[in-house]
Amino acid sequence: MRDWLFSGMVLHRRLRPVVNAFRYPVFFLRFPLSRLDELSNPVFSVNRFNLLSFHFADHGDGRPPATWIRELLADEGVGDAGGEIELQTFPRVLGYVFNPVSFWYCHATNGRLRAIVAEVNNTFGERHCYLLQSPDGGFIHNGQALAATKVFHVSPFCHVAGAYRFRFHAARRAGRMQIVARVDYHDTQGDLLLTSVSGAARDFSAASLLRAFATHPLMTLTVVARIHLQALKLLAKGVPFIRKPAPPAPFVTR
């Protein structure tokens, strides 16, 4: 089965100093890097223009994704991560994409989840990775909370302080995989942002991709448009604007 196309929802809720919440439908990919050559079909291409596409340049340092992520894991001393690696990300739609966050699920040779890399982009053209591992050094369990100190500027309405709490859930229902990635942000006053992206798997086929495109023909463009719309709403509600600091020197945060 090629359950690599997911149809679902993005949710975002800000709790202070004003409440601001939104949700919108999306589609995204989660595919194994070992089967990258199976992505191409009449409506989907790799490293060239199509209705939908995946480009190496949109991730890591632009090299083939398996090369880049395995080198990152080796440099960070992550052992026993020689199994399958899956990438969860938005595809390009009509040649354009903006991925607020992509997730690399890195498995051990026995198939269990060893580490997750959260690859974060901001609207200033910067990129940073959070390497998530189980606190006990073991495998990551379904729904387990994983923590990372915030070091990278994303929103001009949040300070670079506090920490993230990540949780990843996966379950098979009616023969199809359903997944949820939750990313909550808190500071010294408690929870500030609650976010998630969820989806139910669809077969990765030209027909399914065409249906996704027809339903959301400008999806990746609207991702950026909605980011700026929500920024205007926060400004109108009087939330203070924070100037962007310099990005962190290390590209990866443990």
Side-chain angles (χ1 to χ4, degrees), residues 169-201:
H169 304 261
R172 189 168 290 278
R173 296 188 177 92
R176 292 291 188 181
M177 186 62 69
Q178 297 190 18
I179 59 176
V180 181
R182 303 182 186 277
V183 185
D184 300 332
Y185 169 56
H186 60 273
D187 58 18
T188 56
Q189 300 178 56
D191 285 343
L192 177 56
L193 297 176
L194 307 177
T195 70
S196 70
V197 56
S198 61

Side-chain angles (χ1 to χ4, degrees), residues 211-234:
R211 283 193 292 271
F213 174 79
T215 305
H216 310 290
L218 298 175
M219 185 194 70
T220 52
L221 185 62
T222 59
V223 168
V224 176
R226 285 167 170 144
I227 288 172
H228 289 92
L229 174 62
Q230 297 303 321
L232 291 175
K233 290 173 65 176
L234 291 175

Side-chain angles (χ1 to χ4, degrees), residues 52-229:
L52 303 169
S53 57
F54 171 76
H55 288 242
F56 294 175
D58 298 332
H59 299 279
D61 58 9
R63 288 182 293 163
T67 301
W68 172 76
I69 190 64
R70 293 199 185 279
E71 185 174 296
L72 182 152
L73 294 171
D75 289 345
E76 295 297 324
V78 179
D80 191 21
E84 185 63 83
I85 296 176
E86 296 174 289
L87 173 60
Q88 178 179 327
T89 190
F90 289 143
R92 289 195 186 192
V93 179
L94 294 176
Y96 179 78
V97 71
F98 176 72
N99 267 295
V101 60
S102 299
F103 298 109
W104 304 74
Y105 299 89
C106 308
H107 297 83
T109 52
N110 65 2
R112 299 187 66 182
L113 189 57
R114 183 68 180 84
I116 299 172
V117 175
E119 183 184 25
V120 182
N121 294 284
N122 62 24
T123 55
F124 304 97
E126 299 168 339
R127 182 177 296 166
H128 189 77
C129 288
Y130 293 94
L131 174 58
L132 310 174
Q133 294 181 270
S134 179
D136 62 6
F139 298 115
I140 297 172
H141 304 294
N142 196 31
Q144 180 178 357
L146 306 170
T149 300
K150 181 179 179 179
V151 299
F152 182 60
H153 181 80
V154 178
S155 168
F157 302 96
C158 295
H159 291 280
V160 180
Y164 294 110
R165 181 176 62 253
F166 296 83
R167 287 172 293 177
F168 302 88
H169 304 261
R172 189 168 290 278
R173 296 188 177 92
R176 292 291 188 181
M177 186 62 69
Q178 297 190 18
I179 59 176
V180 181
R182 303 182 186 277
V183 185
D184 300 332
Y185 169 56
H186 60 273
D187 58 18
T188 56
Q189 300 178 56
D191 285 343
L192 177 56
L193 297 176
L194 307 177
T195 70
S196 70
V197 56
S198 61
R202 303 287 183 266
D203 182 49
F204 188 88
S205 65
S208 294
L209 291 164
L210 273 174
R211 283 193 292 271
F213 174 79
T215 305
H216 310 290
L218 298 175
M219 185 194 70
T220 52
L221 185 62
T222 59
V223 168
V224 176
R226 285 167 170 144
I227 288 172
H228 289 92
L229 174 62

Side-chain angles (χ1 to χ4, degrees), residues 2 4-5 29 36-46 48-54 203-210:
R2 299 195 306 166
W4 306 341
L5 173 66
L29 308 178
L36 180 63
D37 59 346
E38 297 181 37
L39 292 180
S40 297
N41 63 41
V43 299
F44 193 101
S45 296
V46 176
R48 66 181 182 86
F49 180 84
N50 206 330
L51 287 181
L52 303 169
S53 57
F54 171 76
D203 182 49
F204 188 88
S205 65
S208 294
L209 291 164
L210 273 174

